[in-house]
Amino acid sequence: MTLAALFLLLHGDDPAIDLVYFWAAVLIALTPVLIFGGLGVWIVRKMIKERREEQMRNAEFGMRN
């Protein structure tokens, strides 16, 4: 018998546990998306801010891009 079949024999068919497993899987899937997405947004904002500051500095010295 496979491990999954043994687990089903021990576990039974409990909808409450299935719901817990579902939300656990959703959290496991969303955690890296939120972390890397947040890092990506932070980096892009920082790049835009630095580019804007560089344009302001160049404008002060009368330089062109």
Side-chain angles (χ1 to χ4, degrees):
M1 221 183 264
T2 65
L3 187 59
L6 286 173
F7 182 71
L8 282 175
L9 287 175
L10 293 174
H11 170 268
D13 190 23
D14 188 7
I17 293 294
D18 289 340
L19 186 62
V20 169
Y21 288 156
F22 169 75
W23 285 114
V26 168
L27 287 175
I28 288 171
L30 284 182
T31 300
V33 170
L34 292 174
I35 290 171
F36 290 118
L39 283 172
V41 168
W42 177 65
I43 289 170
V44 168
R45 284 184 178 174
K46 200 145 180 82
M47 287 172 51
I48 291 170
K49 180 181 174 185
E50 287 180 9
R51 187 175 296 159
R52 192 174 299 143
E53 288 174 356
E54 183 179 343
Q55 287 175 353
M56 294 282 286
R57 268 185 265 126
N58 288 341
E60 287 177 3
F61 293 116
M63 301 173 128
R64 290 188 169 216
N65 291 342

